[in-house]
Structures are given as structure tokens and as C-alpha cells.
């Protein structure tokens, strides 16, 4: 069991709980230190003890032993989701990208995409125009088209498996539940991990001082929102404070303000604050190292009598 439970996102299958804790905890401690709480910062990293903060690791569940290639290939249905997901990311960029050039490029591409899917053969080809448009935006362009497409495909594959495969979902939640108990004061989830953390908070059932979601796709209606558990979506009972942080250029984060999507959010969900993660808007370590992240965690633990 842990006071602070950390939940990672996609594409971590080649790592472990230990390597991810070694990546996350110095950044989280740094954010707390910036927030003016050096004692908590030292507890998290320099003087950490078993049970202070633990990573709920589930990346290995997405490895397929013995497969030669094709592990991240999508089914026909998943390619249809890929097109929808890429389209939603493109619309997010058109409305809120920090760069006017990216907003204008996304708007232009959206205006020219009508009817494209009917003019090509096959679902992968149908997704190509919107994927190509997405790859021209700054967050993906720096990766190169081929690598960026692999990122999108891997993201969709793992998100889709979690949301549609009951075995995977239960295994992931079991991994998180191993670290949650009466002493748990905060659950922090990044990316897909924010969806896992949100559902874990529902399953937890006990009072929870803080749910902190970073770069969260919980508001992506095409892939995530309507497939979360339980339905209809709502603020998890027992959560005293839910804070959601997003970078304006983080296309995975559906929208900074999740309030209208989750009944019971008034007075519990603080979802109006954005951060600037620079050239890596979806980077977990950058979210964790922010002063705002440290302020939120420090305040929650103080209220709980840390």
C-alpha cells in the first residue's frame, strides 16, 4: 500500500515499476520543492521510504510474447477509431494550439478533409489523410511522419485494449489496487493512466483526498469518455479534490476543462488550469515538475494531516 499511487500512460511496456519511479519521483519532488514544501519534497525522493509513493505498473500487459512484428497493428474497427481519434486531435489543435500557424494549418486541413475517406480504398488508407494532416502539426512534426504514425497507432492500440478487453482492464485495475488502501492520500495518473486512475478512484470507495490527472484523454468522446466505467461518467465518490492539468498543445489531453462532462464536479473538480511543457507537451516528467502540481499535492496532503 502507498500514500501516493502513481499510474503511468501508454508505451511503457519496455520499462518497469522501478525505472518509472526513478523517472517520476525526482520530477514530482521538484514540483513540490518549487511550491515551497521542501520537507515533502525530501520525503518523496531524497528520504523516501517504502510506502510513500509507488508506481502501479501495467506496461508489461501490452507485450505479446513470441510475436514477430505486428504487435501494434490495428484491426479494421481500430483503424476506424484511429481516424476518429486523429480527427479529434486535429480539431483540438484548430481550436486551442498555442501557435497561430498550427491553428491555421489544422483549420485548413479540416476544411479540405471532407469526402476524403470515400475516395480511397481500405480503412487504413481512409485514415491516412487525417493522419497526414495531424503529422504536420508541431507536436508530431518534430518526430517525423513514420515515427509519429507509430506513436498514434501504439496509443490507440493500448487505449482501445484497455477500454474494450475485459481481461486487460481487470489486470490493470488489479495492479493499481495492490497499492491502494486506507492510507492512500493521492492517486496521480498521466495519459491513459489518468483514465485508469479515475476508474480506480471509483473502485476504491473510500475517502481519497486527491485525484490528480495529467495530460488526460478523459474528455475524448470518440474513444474514451463513453467507454469509461461506470457509465454515465461522474466524479468518483469519496474524492475530496480532483485536479486536472493540461498543456494547450497536448493533443492527447482532450480539453483542459472537464467540468461540464462530469456530474458532481462543482466544488470538487478543478480543471481550468493549464501548464506549458514546451517542446514535449505530453511529457509526464514535465507535468510532474510544475509548481502547480507541487502546490496541489502539498495542499492535499496538508489537509489530510500528513
Amino acid at each position: 500500500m502507498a500514500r501516493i499511487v502513481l499510474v503511468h500512460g501508454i508505451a511503457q511496456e519496455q520499462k518497469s515499476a522501478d525505472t518509472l519511479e526513478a523517472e517520476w519521483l525526482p520530477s514530482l519532488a521538484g514540483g513540490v520543492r518549487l511550491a515551497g514544501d521542501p520537507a515533502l519534497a525530501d520525503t518523496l525522493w531524497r528520504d523516501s521510504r517504502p510506502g510513500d509513493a509507488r508506481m502501479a505498473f501495467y506496461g508489461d500487459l501490452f507485450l505479446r510474447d513470441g510475436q514477430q512484428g505486428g504487435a501494434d497493428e490495428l484491426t479494421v474497427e481500430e483503424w476506424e477509431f484511429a481516424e476518429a481519434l486523429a480527427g479529434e486531435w486535429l480539431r483540438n489543435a484548430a481550436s486551442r494550439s498555442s501557435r497561430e500557424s498550427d491553428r491555421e494549418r489544422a483549420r485548413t486541413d479540416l476544411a479540405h478533409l471532407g469526402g476524403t475517406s470515400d475516395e480511397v480504398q481500405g480503412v487504413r488508407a481512409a485514415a491516412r489523410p487525417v493522419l497526414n494532416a495531424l503529422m504536420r502539426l508541431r507536436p508530431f512534426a518534430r518526430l517525423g511522419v513514420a515515427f509519429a504514425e507509430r506513436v498514434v497507432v501504439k496509443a490507440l492500440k493500448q487505449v482501445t485494449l484497455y477500454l474494450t478487453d475485459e481481461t486487460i482492464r481487470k489486470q490493470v485495475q488489479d495492479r493499481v489496487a495492490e497499492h491502494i488502501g486506507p492510507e492512500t492520500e493521492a492517486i496521480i495518473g498521466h495519459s491513459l493512466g489518468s483514465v485508469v486512475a479515475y476508474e480506480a478512484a471509483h473502485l476504491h470507495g473510500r475517502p481519497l483526498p486527491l485525484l490528480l490527472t495529467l495530460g488526460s484523454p478523459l474528455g475524448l468522446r470518440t474513444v474514451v469518455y463513453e467507454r469509461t466505467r461506470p457509465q454515465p461518467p461522474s466524479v468518483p465518490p469519496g474524492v475530496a479534490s480532483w485536479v486536472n492539468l493540461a498543456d494547450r498543445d497536448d493533443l492527447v489531453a482532450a480539453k483542459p476543462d472537464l467540468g461540464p462532462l462530469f456530474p458532481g464536479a462543482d466544488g470538487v473538480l478543478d480543471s481550468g488550469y493549464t501548464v506549458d511543457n514546451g517542446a514535449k507537451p505530453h511529457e509526464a516528467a514535465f507535468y510532474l515538475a510544475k509548481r502547480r502540481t507541487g502546490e496541489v499535492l502539498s495542499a492535499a496532503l496538508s489537509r489530510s494531516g500528513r
Side-chain angles (χ1 to χ4, degrees):
M1 305 298 178
R3 294 175 62 216
I4 302 169
V5 178
L6 312 171
V7 191
H8 65 82
I10 63 163
Q12 303 301 313
E13 60 272 12
Q14 301 299 338
K15 298 182 181 180
S16 68
D18 298 275
T19 54
L20 284 172
E21 285 175 13
E23 292 174 14
W24 280 41
L25 289 177
S27 295
L28 183 60
V32 170
R33 199 176 302 278
L34 285 175
D37 194 342
L40 176 58
D42 286 344
T43 297
L44 289 171
W45 179 237
R46 301 179 191 278
D47 304 322
S48 61
R49 301 181 301 273
D52 284 333
R54 296 300 304 273
M55 175 64 67
F57 181 71
Y58 61 89
D60 60 301
L61 298 177
F62 295 113
L63 288 173
R64 295 294 179 264
D65 294 340
Q67 272 193 313
Q68 296 296 317
D72 294 318
E73 281 300 310
L74 304 183
T75 65
V76 169
E77 182 181 7
E78 288 164 355
W79 269 113
E80 292 171 352
F81 282 131
E83 183 179 22
L85 177 62
E88 188 154 358
W89 283 352
L90 198 59
R91 287 188 291 275
N92 287 344
S95 64
R96 75 162 197 261
S97 177
S98 64
R99 288 165 54 115
E100 174 58 31
S101 59
D102 274 349
R103 293 197 301 271
E104 184 59 34
R105 182 177 294 113
R107 292 186 196 115
T108 300
D109 286 332
L110 284 168
H112 287 90
L113 281 172
T116 303
S117 296
D118 295 331
E119 299 167 2
V120 290
Q121 299 297 315
V123 289
R124 182 166 186 163
R128 175 67 59 188
V130 68
L131 285 172
N132 286 346
L134 193 66
M135 303 319 165
R136 288 191 286 270
L137 301 179
R138 183 178 55 143
F140 289 107
R142 65 181 180 81
L143 301 175
V145 172
F147 182 71
E149 182 179 328
R150 288 199 297 274
V151 170
V152 173
V153 170
K154 184 182 289 291
L156 187 76
K157 185 71 174 181
Q158 295 188 1
V159 170
T160 302
L161 276 174
Y162 176 76
L163 293 173
T164 63
D165 186 314
E166 291 303 317
T167 299
I168 288 287
R169 195 180 211 136
K170 185 179 185 307
Q171 289 175 329
V172 171
Q173 285 297 336
D174 285 347
R175 298 283 181 89
V176 179
E178 290 174 0
H179 300 294
I180 295 179
E183 64 270 53
T184 300
E185 298 174 59
I187 305 177
I188 303 174
H190 171 253
S191 189
L192 173 59
S194 71
V195 181
V196 175
Y198 162 81
E199 294 190 348
H202 268 288
L203 293 170
H204 179 44
R206 303 183 184 93
L208 180 69
L210 176 65
L211 172 63
L212 177 56
T213 51
L214 310 172
S216 178
L218 275 164
L220 286 175
R221 290 183 177 274
T222 53
V223 180
V224 177
Y225 179 76
E226 295 176 355
R227 292 176 174 81
T228 58
R229 302 279 181 81
Q231 285 288 322
S234 62
V235 172
V239 171
S241 175
W242 175 9
V243 177
N244 181 68
L245 299 179
D247 184 301
R248 285 182 60 190
D249 291 322
D250 185 351
L251 302 183
V252 173
K255 55 181 67 180
D257 186 8
L258 296 176
L261 297 175
F262 291 89
D266 291 347
V268 178
L269 175 57
D270 177 358
S271 191
Y273 196 97
T274 58
V275 297
D276 181 1
N277 290 333
K280 295 183 177 181
H282 192 58
E283 182 72 22
F286 292 179
Y287 274 113
L288 293 163
K290 292 294 180 292
R291 180 191 300 272
R292 177 58 175 165
T293 302
E295 290 171 345
V296 167
L297 183 60
S298 178
L301 297 191
S302 294
R303 286 193 300 269
S304 67
R306 148 169 74 100

